[in-house]
Amino acid sequence: MSTSVPAGAVVTGAGRGLGKEIARLLVERGHLVLVTDVDQAAAEAAAAELGDRAVARAVDVRDHVQVEAARDDIVARAGRLDTWVNNAGVLFTGPAWEQSADARRLMVEVNTLGMINGTVAAIRAMSTSKGGHVVNIVSLAGLTAVPGEAVYAGSKHAAIGFSTSTMADLRAAGVKHVDISCVCPDGIWTPMLHDKLDDPGSAMSFSGKLLQPAEVVEAVRGVLDKPRLITAIPGWRGIVARLSGAVPGFGLKAMPLIAAQGRRVQRKLLSSGGPPGR
């Protein structure tokens, strides 16, 4: 690879919100970034905004053929794949038995299968070259129970289980030059939550400190500099989530209080027009 060409990177779900900001970070770090999104127009607009080190491609992460084609595209353009960020995600709220089969399937296929497709595609390129780093944007919902978001939480628990187990497989196979990092943020004020202020099923996403995308981008920057298998944002919420998971009976008893706090925050934000920086 020519030294004048930056290493390749791919970000899924990068047409807007957090994914676009992660792509911006990678451009600033000198990567040639493939901005992917199921919405081709959104991907193209984001890439145009990010400049000549960003290119767009429509990718449905549920389709492994499209995911592998995106990998091959960036390798052809940049010479190698250095960083892959699985950011694409879907959230529907409410008890699982009240959700449609299509909604349940979409969450599992995008949040779990899509992340698996991206991770596998990236590893196949990275393990035969100079190595690289897969960053999976998960959620605190991957670490604990989340009333009102059971299927979403299940899909994110699967993402954690797959990521940590795959890291174990890589090391067992003697592959030491490929890393996987899971970033698990609390609720983020992105388009995913913009229409959830009057949705009681999403109260848990509002029960802590509602994060701005820039805070999550900084966490991604941190794991790119120093890989870490699981990073919760903020850290104290990660501790609470893990304690709830370790003692599920206690966690279930505390959930109504936490959800009530989330509903109070939702009402406050509804009356004020949302958090600053929207």
Side-chain angles (χ1 to χ4, degrees):
M1 184 184 70
S2 168
T3 56
S4 64
V5 179
V10 176
V11 184
T12 69
R16 60 178 184 166
L18 177 62
K20 183 171 73 172
E21 297 311 309
I22 293 172
R24 191 188 309 277
L25 167 68
L26 293 170
V27 166
E28 292 170 353
R29 290 170 70 95
H31 294 281
L32 178 63
V33 181
L34 187 63
V35 175
T36 78
D37 200 281
V38 70
D39 182 339
Q40 182 169 348
E44 291 175 349
E49 178 183 330
L50 296 175
D52 58 7
R53 286 186 173 178
V55 290
R57 186 181 181 99
V59 174
D60 184 337
V61 297
R62 298 172 294 175
D63 183 346
H64 76 93
V65 173
Q66 293 187 38
V67 172
E68 290 165 4
R71 174 202 61 202
D72 295 343
D73 186 356
I74 196 63
V75 170
R77 291 174 183 271
R80 76 175 194 273
L81 174 62
D82 182 70
T83 303
W84 185 293
V85 181
N86 287 305
N87 169 75
V90 176
L91 168 65
F92 297 106
T93 60
W97 61 87
E98 293 181 0
Q99 294 175 336
S100 70
D102 287 344
R104 297 195 305 267
R105 178 180 293 275
L106 184 61
M107 278 188 280
V108 172
E109 289 188 346
V110 173
N111 300 346
T112 306
L113 181 60
M115 182 273 305
I116 291 172
N117 287 340
T119 302
V120 170
I123 288 172
R124 285 176 173 162
M126 294 171 178
S127 60
T128 57
S129 65
K130 295 182 179 180
H133 196 169
V134 177
V135 179
N136 291 328
I137 306 300
V138 189
S139 168
L140 284 182
L143 302 175
T144 189
V146 186
E149 300 179 9
V151 177
Y152 178 78
S155 72
K156 295 298 188 176
H157 273 70
I160 290 287
F162 171 80
S163 298
T164 55
S165 299
T166 300
M167 268 295 289
D169 285 339
L170 286 168
R171 297 303 183 254
V175 178
K176 300 184 183 300
H177 58 306
V178 177
D179 288 296
I180 299 174
S181 294
C182 296
V183 176
C184 302
D186 208 342
I188 315 168
W189 190 241
T190 64
M192 184 179 283
L193 289 186
H194 286 174
D195 62 349
K196 302 291 187 183
L197 291 179
D198 58 355
D199 176 13
S202 63
M204 292 296 289
S205 294
F206 293 86
S207 61
K209 177 184 182 294
L210 200 58
L211 300 170
Q212 292 295 326
E215 296 175 89
V216 185
V217 171
E218 283 306 302
V220 172
R221 186 194 305 274
V223 298
L224 289 174
D225 290 337
K226 186 177 181 180
R228 183 178 180 186
L229 192 52
I230 298 177
T231 298
I233 318 167
W236 71 269
R237 286 276 281 184
I239 294 171
V240 172
R242 293 182 189 218
L243 286 174
S244 296
V247 190
F250 171 79
L252 287 176
K253 289 180 181 178
M255 288 299 169
L257 297 175
I258 300 172
Q261 167 61 18
R263 287 192 290 272
R264 286 192 290 271
V265 172
Q266 285 175 302
R267 290 193 293 269
K268 181 178 178 180
L269 293 176
L270 265 176
S271 64
S272 66
R278 175 175 176 173

